[in-house]
Amino acid sequence: MIYVFYLLFYGFIVTAALGLLASWVDRKVTARVQYRVGPPLLQPLTDIVKLLGKETLIPEGASKAMFIASPVIGLASVILVSTLLWVNNVNPSSGFLGDIIVVVYLLAVPSISIMLGGFASANPFASIGASREMKLILSYELPFLLAVLVAVIKSGFSIRLGEVLAYQAQNGAYAGSLSGILALAVAVMCVQAKLALAPFDIPEAETEVIGGPLIEYSGAGLAVYRLMKNMLLFTLPLFLIILFMGGLRSGGVQIIWSILKALGLVALITVIRNTNPRVRTDHAVRFFWGPMTIIAIIAVVLALAGK
């Protein structure tokens, strides 16, 4: 019963609320960088509600079942990931062996769901965007896994999120060590690609493929995808905070430090998005398989050496 409560309250309601807030921060900062006022606080929620009230159109020739199911699959995976993260963050002893591996695999599902939705829509622009998404997944997953491996090594080869948090509570956050800060830097760039934000907004490039995999989506389907992306904007930073920054704490002054950690990562992602132009697919692949993988391997070696 307790897991149902975590699933509905923390996994969906709290994460959706914080995801919409993170989306507002992202849009507000972006607007201020461009000398605009930016949207009101409730604009991300208003956008979702407005889309839910519109008709869902399914293109002719599309694979209807996959077209409808893809957004739901992506949203379900984000809810499961956020539930696992909240369970471990609130009560580190309630996790299970291998939950880090489960979280890493589930975090790949939203990108795969976007890819499936694109291919299912039978639109040439959507297919191009979906193929770009596939190449991007193949490029960033290796350095992302290596960055996660650093946290596993530093916690004594534990693959439980609760033990990673418990080790940091006793010995300090991994981001305070050389291997930890290198792994965190690599993970932030991988998160930028997972969110398909500039400079890695290659799959949905408006000026090239007019939204890519999401071009045919409207109404409830597009609303679910938007909500999934907003929730990811909080869930992915939360995963990095748990792995490298000691998690979120609610006691006394710790709550301020927790808010600063979450806001800091969202602000960093927004700044990277607004200060870098979109790169080409081959450049992104070279970037992740080259410098990012090398830095991640160095971080793994340093972690093995106890640095």
Side-chain angles (χ1 to χ4, degrees):
M1 191 63 189
I2 186 70
Y3 286 100
V4 176
F5 169 74
Y6 272 107
L7 182 74
L8 294 176
F9 183 69
Y10 285 107
F12 181 62
I13 297 174
V14 173
T15 304
L18 292 174
L20 291 170
L21 180 62
S23 173
W24 175 77
V25 170
D26 171 53
R27 292 168 65 173
K28 193 74 176 177
V29 172
T30 301
R32 298 309 298 170
V33 169
Q34 298 168 354
Y35 298 102
R36 293 187 287 111
V37 176
L41 179 61
L42 294 179
Q43 191 61 48
L45 177 62
T46 307
D47 292 343
I48 301 287
V49 173
K50 194 190 301 177
L51 281 171
L52 286 173
K54 291 187 176 179
E55 184 182 0
T56 299
L57 300 174
I58 300 177
E60 188 178 345
S63 171
K64 291 183 181 176
M66 186 54 70
F67 186 80
I68 295 171
S70 295
V72 180
I73 293 170
L75 181 64
S77 69
V78 177
I79 293 172
L80 286 175
V81 169
S82 56
T83 302
L84 286 173
L85 295 178
W86 279 114
V87 164
N88 282 281
N89 189 78
V90 175
N91 186 5
S93 62
S94 57
F96 57 87
L97 184 64
D99 51 9
I100 289 182
I101 297 172
V102 175
V103 167
V104 168
Y105 272 100
L106 285 174
L107 282 176
V109 175
S111 300
I112 294 172
S113 76
I114 290 175
M115 198 175 69
L116 291 175
F119 282 130
S121 62
N123 181 297
F125 287 114
S127 296
I128 293 171
S131 66
R132 289 183 175 191
E133 184 79 49
M134 188 191 304
K135 291 168 188 165
L136 203 55
I137 293 171
L138 292 173
S139 65
Y140 64 67
E141 280 298 325
L142 176 60
F144 186 68
L145 286 173
L146 289 170
V148 173
L149 182 60
V150 170
V152 172
I153 293 171
K154 293 181 77 67
S155 57
F157 291 92
S158 173
I159 49 176
R160 293 182 61 156
L161 286 168
E163 291 181 359
V164 171
L165 281 169
Y167 189 92
Q168 292 182 86
Q170 292 180 354
N171 301 283
Y174 296 152
S177 64
L178 183 56
S179 59
I181 196 68
L182 287 176
L184 177 59
V186 171
V188 167
M189 296 310 296
C190 294
V191 162
Q192 197 82 12
K194 275 182 177 290
L195 292 166
L197 295 176
F200 307 113
D201 55 337
I202 307 161
E204 299 171 15
E206 290 284 345
T207 52
E208 298 171 16
V209 289
I210 325 171
L214 306 184
I215 185 173
E216 293 289 357
Y217 276 94
S218 59
L222 187 57
V224 172
Y225 266 137
R226 288 268 177 90
L227 181 60
M228 179 194 83
K229 289 201 157 207
N230 289 339
M231 290 172 72
L232 271 178
L233 193 54
F234 173 76
T235 304
L236 283 166
L238 176 60
F239 184 47
L240 300 191
I241 289 170
I242 288 176
L243 282 186
F244 301 106
M245 302 167 77
L248 299 177
R249 294 287 172 266
S250 57
V253 104
Q254 287 290 329
I255 192 168
I256 298 173
W257 180 228
S258 297
I259 293 170
L260 286 177
K261 283 191 274 191
L263 274 178
L265 277 179
V266 172
L268 178 61
I269 289 168
T270 305
V271 168
I272 293 172
R273 170 190 179 186
N274 283 287
T275 52
N276 291 278
R278 183 186 310 128
V279 297
R280 286 187 347 214
T281 307
D282 58 325
H283 288 171
V285 173
R286 252 184 256 140
F287 176 72
F288 284 112
W289 284 4
M292 287 297 101
T293 300
I294 292 170
I295 293 172
I297 290 172
I298 292 171
V300 169
V301 172
L302 288 171
L304 287 169
K307 303 292 184 183

